[in-house]
Amino acid sequence: MSASHSVPDSAALPGLSGPLPPFLQTVGMRNLVVADGQASIELDFDAAVHANGIGVAHGGVLCTLLDVVMGYAAYAWPANPGPIVTVNQNVQFINAMRGPVRVRGRVVSGGKSMVFCSAEVLDEADSSIAIGQGAFKKIALNRGGRFEINRVS
């Protein structure tokens, strides 16, 4: 079980090498692959961690998986790579998640400041569990590598 990134050209995408961010590890995500406006990740369903009151994955787990792959796809979009934040996400729940899944996302379109993505959560039989669409805003980092929020006065 790998909790690291797999990025073909990590020099072109700083911050995508080494271990996954702590939150993704806590959720149990693994095998992140990011390249050319696409991303995929896997998760093994663990009822003790991921289940809701009826024993299937909580919808928030599915939303998180979709957000993660779309965000990484947007970050790695060759036309305008770099850091992003989620602006909007829409999710359609299709089936219950009871076992391991893989999630794949891709950039659909974008411009200088916004990137639009889609993603799908698939079970072991390649049946769709959930699909999502998201809008992501490109952000600038300061010299310390952190983004700055422009507050409206």
Side-chain angles (χ1 to χ4, degrees):
M1 192 180 312
S2 170
S4 65
H5 300 89
S6 173
V7 183
D9 185 4
S10 60
L13 299 168
L16 289 184
S17 61
L20 289 174
F23 176 70
L24 303 188
Q25 290 184 43
T26 298
V27 173
M29 294 182 205
R30 61 184 174 81
N31 296 335
L32 173 65
V33 177
V34 181
D36 298 329
Q38 298 183 44
S40 65
I41 202 159
E42 298 173 349
L43 178 75
D44 292 323
F45 177 72
D46 178 348
V49 176
H50 304 120
N52 61 16
I54 59 172
V56 299
H58 187 281
V61 174
L62 294 163
C63 291
T64 299
L65 288 164
L66 292 163
D67 183 56
V68 166
V69 297
M70 289 188 291
Y72 275 107
Y75 184 98
W77 184 41
N80 189 5
I84 55 89
V85 291
T86 306
V87 174
N88 184 48
Q89 179 175 322
N90 297 300
V91 176
Q92 294 79 47
F93 302 100
I94 298 168
N95 284 305
M97 180 178 140
R98 296 180 174 92
V101 294
R102 66 185 168 83
V103 189
R104 56 184 187 203
R106 67 180 183 87
V107 171
V108 174
S109 182
K112 183 177 179 181
S113 64
M114 296 292 293
V115 179
F116 303 92
C117 299
S118 66
E120 185 173 24
V121 180
L122 300 163
D123 67 14
E124 290 182 301
D126 279 340
S127 295
S128 189
I129 300 295
I131 56 174
Q133 302 80 38
F136 300 83
K137 180 167 181 53
K138 291 293 182 171
I139 59 170
L141 298 179
N142 65 22
R143 289 183 189 165
R146 299 194 184 278
F147 74 94
E148 296 180 2
I149 299 172
N150 296 325
R151 299 186 188 270
V152 177
S153 300

